[in-house]
Amino acid sequence: MKHYDAALHTRGESQYINDMPRPDGMLHGAIFSSPIAHGHLQGLDIDAALAIEGVKAVITARDIPGENQIGPLIQDEALLAETEVHFIGHPIAIIVADRPEIARKAAAAIIADIDPLPVVTDPREAYAAGQLIGPERTFEMGDIKQAWQDCDVIVEGRTDIGGQEHVYLETQAARAIPEEEGRIKIYSSTQSPYAVQKAAAKILSVPNHKVEVDVKRIGGGFGGKEDQATQWGCMAALAARVTSKAVEIVLNRHDDLKMTGKRHPYTADFKMGLSAKGKILAYQVMHYQNGGASADLSPAVMERTLFHSTNAYYVPNARITAASCRTNIPPNTAFRGFGGPQGMFVIEAAIARAAEALQMPCEEIQRKNLIRPDEMFPYGQKAENARAVKTWKAAEKAYDIGMIRKKITAHNKTNSARKRGFAVMPICFGISFTATFLNQGSALVHVYTDGSVSITTGGVEMGQGISSKIINMAAKALGISESRIRVESTNTTRIANMSPSAASATTDLCGNATLIAIEKILGRLSELAAKKLNLKKASKVSIVDEQVTYKGKPTGWDWEKLVATAYFSRVGLSAHGFYATPNVHFDKAEEKGRPFNYHVYGTAIFEVTVDCLRGTYRIDATKLVHDLGRPINRVVDIGQVEGGLAQGLGWMTMEDLQYDAQGRLLSGALASYKVPEVYFMPENLQIEFLEDKNPNAPYGSKAVGEPPLLYGIGVFYAIRNALRAFRPKKPLAFHAPMTPERVLMALYDDTLAETPAKISASNSTVEKVEA
């Protein structure tokens, strides 16, 4: 098994939008955006921009022939600002010029007349002012009011969780080419071609079939191109319509960081009640999501937070509430985990606080409360075929959690300044779109007369290996060599109405659709072979290693002869497959249902060493057992686990997304926003797969895109435990990421607060002596 794009990437032959051959006369677009976070837009002075040689057009909202609206869930997001701006970087105008540098120069020459309005960046402040995106929602189970009376210990606290920049290698990009009959073809770096198609059609006031969107691959997405790629595709299409020329828009890194949304920052208040033996009896949490200036996907992300707020634990009495708060920063959006990690972080904080109150090892409370088969999640779904306990036990057996604790305790007794810590992080993540209608996938399969095969699906290749897995599955189903199969670009004219490549569901949806299409073709070929070879049962015909067999024995025909015979016999060699995930549903009025096809579980153990004088730390080891099902492509799956883990570790440690009170992004460059590199990763990284067959996905597999990121939460608590070993009585906030600066402040903020008073007292004494 291999990743089929790996060789192309290594040789530099993989084509992205900016690498494609350029049509003659292609123009380039740049964006003029708001310099302030909130204000009334009174007017634009574009004369200086239009006077620059090479500038072809300055496009504003009044040039939009259709509806100036691209909101995917709530219609609250204009493509180009008209009367009000809501964040720094809010697009106002598109400048089209002969070259990108000319377009950017012209953008800098535009002057906007904006009357400032009050700026809000804190979700709690927005909540207090009633600035919400959609309604507040609550999941409830049991009788939480009575449960508090039964608790031996009750703990409360607050968490603050930072956002996260996607840092995809290919920035936001789109190219639009006008065609005959008013059609537009858009090459877009998007996870959701259909979203680009729909929105562009609305902007241009044309039917969907007049907009074609094509995606060969994208240079990383991680959720940041699920919806936020839409606007750039629409802008390129609008510019192409206005100028009647091909137009390309590729954001530079600075503009991408400034204009696009991130993982949602959250703040939350929690309360947990337990028995004296560590059983969780009640859990209550209020999540405040920083949604940014418009809805984007925030309501759906918030919903995932509600679904995963109890992580891998059974909580018999729960009240989980969340509100999406409207603020003056760019609209935040999907990011690997989609709100789930933020919910999980909080319950881990509550368990850590409970462990301190009970003077009990944190992992003991975690282990005692792991969800078991047929126990209920707060949203009304049973934990079918639960693997939480199984992965925990596998981790205990493989890595000996008890011995790790003993070694770290012994180290800390003999080292005063360098403390070690460890933490265990169980995970549970539901697989399916929680919007039930999105759980559908399509595939188009062609078999050519030479035996080669072409496959188009609704899945977008973004480095996660979906194309490789489709090839793996198709070759296995057809019984032929993988070298015969090619996966085509994702295109809205070949696959209509496709769901986004997101929610870790793409392999399940598009893989099953591919297998359904192949089954149709194989059915026809089997009937043909049975007829031509005088075989009694077509169902006993199969293809093994490109040989046609009957009841397991060779017939003398091979794949190529079968295909050629089918063509001359006028048997169809193409098929469309459609798959809809069965038995998923959710009632938002009742907040109950079965939203997920299945769950992915896992257990990770983190060991860290912290220099408590300097605040620096290293991750010594990460050892995990991941619930993978039967792997389709082990190489791809290991890459997904390692990559997801790296993003989770970065989010919890170094990726410190910061805005000031005026909505300015302070971490607006990769010099000030740090991301993990190879030397940051654990020296000792061990991964084991729990390979039980999953009956709900192709070939017994399980989704692997998002769940591995969740493990990264554990490193925060490992570092926190090392700090507690240094200052056992010091209250420590649950504030992520745990940067080295924040480590120092956590250890010494009380000492620093005392220092000015001590200096003042010392100076006063000196003055008295001198007097």
Side-chain angles (χ1 to χ4, degrees):
M1 295 292 182
K2 63 180 181 179
H3 192 304
Y4 276 90
D5 273 357
L8 295 174
H9 295 340
T10 303
R11 295 195 298 262
E13 296 174 1
S14 301
Q15 285 197 345
Y16 299 90
I17 287 172
N18 204 29
D19 302 314
M20 295 166 56
R22 299 180 179 183
D24 289 342
M26 187 178 79
L27 302 175
H28 299 268
I31 313 302
F32 172 74
S33 63
S34 175
I36 69 171
H38 194 198
H40 287 300
L41 179 60
Q42 302 293 355
L44 284 180
D45 182 352
I46 63 173
D47 291 343
L50 288 171
I52 295 173
E53 185 177 356
V55 172
K56 302 301 182 184
V58 175
I59 300 167
T60 63
R62 65 173 174 266
D63 298 307
I64 294 173
E67 184 180 349
N68 184 21
Q69 183 55 241
I70 57 170
L73 301 180
I74 298 173
Q75 300 293 287
D76 68 344
E77 185 175 0
L79 178 67
L80 297 173
E82 295 186 66
T83 60
E84 203 168 296
V85 293
H86 297 285
F87 61 93
I88 293 173
H90 194 161
I92 298 173
I94 309 163
I95 299 86
V96 185
D98 289 329
R99 298 198 306 274
E101 59 271 22
I102 295 175
R104 287 194 288 269
K105 180 180 178 181
I110 294 176
I111 299 173
D113 180 9
I114 304 174
D115 292 338
L117 291 170
V119 174
V120 176
T121 59
D122 183 343
R124 289 179 185 258
E125 183 182 343
Y127 181 83
Q131 290 296 310
L132 300 184
I133 299 171
E136 185 177 303
R137 293 176 63 183
T138 299
F139 286 6
E140 289 188 271
M141 185 168 74
D143 185 347
I144 196 163
K145 186 175 181 180
Q146 176 58 43
W148 297 124
Q149 311 303 315
D150 301 330
C151 297
D152 297 314
V153 172
I154 296 175
V155 296
E156 298 182 69
R158 167 176 170 157
T159 63
D160 292 279
I161 311 165
Q164 187 177 22
E165 169 61 43
H166 300 86
V167 199
Y168 25 68
L169 290 179
E170 180 193 27
T171 57
Q172 298 282 0
R175 178 186 293 180
I177 301 173
E179 297 183 334
E180 63 184 16
E181 297 182 337
R183 285 171 49 84
I184 292 281
K185 184 168 186 176
I186 304 171
Y187 295 97
S188 175
S189 182
T190 179
Q191 295 173 234
S192 187
Y194 181 46
V196 175
Q197 180 190 36
K198 282 193 303 181
K202 181 191 287 188
I203 292 293
L204 300 178
S205 190
V206 298
N208 286 359
H209 73 255
K210 288 214 169 185
V211 178
E212 177 185 356
V213 179
D214 190 90
V215 185
K216 175 56 183 173
R217 63 173 64 83
I218 67 176
F222 313 117
K225 296 176 181 176
E226 181 176 348
D227 181 66
Q228 298 232 336
T230 299
Q231 57 187 318
W232 318 111
C234 290
M235 289 180 195
L238 175 61
R241 171 59 57 86
V242 169
T243 63
S244 299
K245 294 282 189 178
V247 177
E248 181 175 275
I249 295 175
V250 179
L251 298 190
N252 60 34
R253 184 65 65 183
H254 176 267
D255 285 346
D256 196 297
L257 290 169
K258 179 178 73 172
M259 295 182 184
T260 64
K262 329 295 182 191
R263 182 189 296 280
H264 293 78
Y266 273 65
T267 178
D269 299 313
F270 65 80
K271 181 179 179 182
M272 177 176 279
L274 306 92
S275 71
K277 293 184 177 180
K279 287 290 286 183
I280 299 172
L281 302 179
Y283 178 57
Q284 181 171 309
V285 60
M286 175 67 198
H287 297 285
Y288 302 91
Q289 179 200 64
N290 192 334
S294 59
D296 196 87
L297 297 174
S298 292
V301 173
M302 185 190 82
E303 184 177 65
R304 270 280 180 174
T305 302
L306 293 167
F307 281 122
H308 294 308
S309 281
T310 55
N311 192 9
Y313 308 111
Y314 173 62
V315 181
N317 303 284
R319 180 178 175 83
I320 304 161
T321 303
S324 181
C325 308
R326 193 183 299 273
T327 61
N328 296 117
I329 63 174
N332 286 314
T333 192
F335 197 127
R336 203 172 194 167
F338 205 77
Q342 293 96 317
M344 295 178 185
F345 180 91
V346 183
I347 196 167
E348 295 301 328
I351 290 172
R353 183 62 53 82
E356 295 164 13
L358 288 167
Q359 296 186 332
M360 181 182 293
C362 191
E363 67 270 18
E364 187 174 335
I365 298 175
Q366 291 172 306
R367 179 182 55 78
K368 286 181 177 180
N369 291 282
L370 292 171
I371 196 162
R372 296 171 183 273
D374 295 329
E375 290 182 329
M376 195 76 72
F377 291 104
Y379 45 87
Q381 180 169 350
K382 285 184 178 180
E384 304 160 10
N385 205 22
R387 291 285 189 269
V389 174
K390 196 165 186 176
T391 59
W392 184 285
K393 287 183 176 179
E396 278 187 318
K397 181 179 179 180
Y399 309 125
D400 198 341
I401 295 173
M403 183 56 67
I404 292 172
R405 173 173 281 280
K406 288 179 181 178
K407 287 181 179 179
I408 286 177
T409 301
H411 169 92
N412 289 340
K413 285 180 180 179
T414 57
N415 288 268
S416 59
R418 295 177 68 84
K419 296 295 185 181
R420 297 189 65 201
F422 92 103
V424 185
M425 182 65 199
I427 67 163
C428 171
F429 193 79
I431 304 300
S432 284
F433 287 99
T434 55
T436 303
F437 72 92
L438 290 175
N439 292 294
Q440 54 178 293
S442 295
L444 180 62
V445 179
H446 297 312
V447 178
Y448 295 101
T449 56
D450 66 348
S452 62
V453 178
S454 166
I455 300 174
T456 302
T457 76
V460 172
E461 175 59 56
M462 50 186 154
Q464 86 281 38
I466 178 65
S467 296
S468 298
K469 286 191 170 184
I470 292 294
I471 290 172
N472 300 150
M473 287 187 282
K476 186 173 182 178
L478 288 166
I480 64 175
S481 169
E482 292 182 357
S483 63
R484 290 189 180 271
I485 301 170
R486 171 183 166 83
V487 174
E488 308 292 347
S489 63
T490 309
N491 186 287
T492 54
T493 63
R494 294 193 294 272
I495 300 294
N497 314 318
M498 65 188 77
S499 296
S501 290
S504 301
T506 310
T507 298
D508 291 1
L509 296 175
C510 296
N512 274 319
T514 300
L515 295 178
I516 289 169
I518 287 171
E519 186 179 354
K520 292 179 180 179
I521 294 170
L522 287 178
R524 300 171 199 155
L525 294 178
S526 296
E527 291 286 349
L528 174 70
K531 179 179 178 182
K532 295 291 186 181
L533 295 170
N534 297 315
L535 305 174
K536 292 183 179 180
K537 293 184 177 180
S539 61
K540 299 296 183 179
V541 175
S542 59
I543 302 163
V544 180
D545 294 332
E546 303 207 350
Q547 300 301 307
V548 179
T549 67
Y550 182 70
K551 295 183 178 180
K553 296 179 180 180
T555 62
W557 282 26
D558 62 10
W559 168 250
E560 290 187 2
K561 182 170 184 177
L562 177 62
V563 169
T565 304
Y567 172 72
F568 287 112
S569 300
R570 297 187 298 174
V571 172
L573 291 171
S574 297
H576 174 268
F578 177 80
Y579 173 78
T581 309
N583 304 318
V584 289
H585 55 87
F586 192 74
D587 185 340
K588 290 188 178 181
E590 298 292 328
E591 302 288 23
K592 300 291 181 185
R594 187 182 182 275
F596 300 118
N597 190 25
Y598 58 89
H599 292 82
V600 173
Y601 298 86
T603 300
I605 304 163
F606 292 90
E607 300 175 51
V608 302
T609 300
V610 179
D611 183 334
C612 296
L613 298 181
R614 295 188 296 171
T616 58
Y617 48 78
R618 71 167 185 260
I619 305 171
D620 300 313
T622 301
K623 305 167 183 177
L624 63 89
V625 174
H626 184 73
D627 174 29
L628 184 66
R630 297 284 173 82
I632 293 172
N633 187 317
R634 186 176 293 273
V635 171
V636 168
D637 292 337
I638 289 175
Q640 286 293 289
V641 173
E642 292 177 346
L645 174 65
Q647 280 189 314
L649 295 177
W651 176 48
M652 285 286 105
T653 57
M654 63 172 62
E655 298 188 46
D656 197 11
L657 186 71
Q658 291 288 341
Y659 292 89
D660 69 11
Q662 294 306 308
R664 285 186 291 264
L665 179 63
L666 301 178
S667 50
L670 295 183
S672 54
Y673 183 84
K674 304 295 185 183
V675 295
E677 30 74 29
V678 64
Y679 298 108
F680 175 78
M681 292 298 287
E683 293 181 12
N684 180 3
L685 175 57
Q686 298 181 44
I687 299 169
E688 289 199 8
F689 290 141
L690 190 67
E691 297 186 15
D692 292 349
K693 185 177 180 180
N694 173 27
N696 298 318
Y699 292 117
S701 63
K702 279 195 170 184
V704 72
E706 289 172 287
L709 182 138
L710 312 174
Y711 293 123
I713 296 169
V715 79
F716 176 95
Y717 293 96
I719 295 170
R720 188 176 184 275
N721 288 336
L723 304 189
R724 284 183 51 76
F726 185 72
R727 294 196 65 182
K729 296 182 180 180
K730 174 76 167 62
L732 298 173
F734 296 101
H735 191 171
M738 187 74 86
T739 62
E741 296 87 349
R742 204 160 276 144
V743 168
L744 276 179
M745 292 302 294
L747 290 174
Y748 301 111
D749 58 346
D750 52 349
T751 306
L752 293 171
E754 293 171 4
T755 300
K758 289 180 179 178
I759 292 172
S760 177
S762 176
N763 288 341
S764 177
T765 301
V766 170
E767 288 169 4
K768 289 179 180 179
V769 170
E770 289 177 345

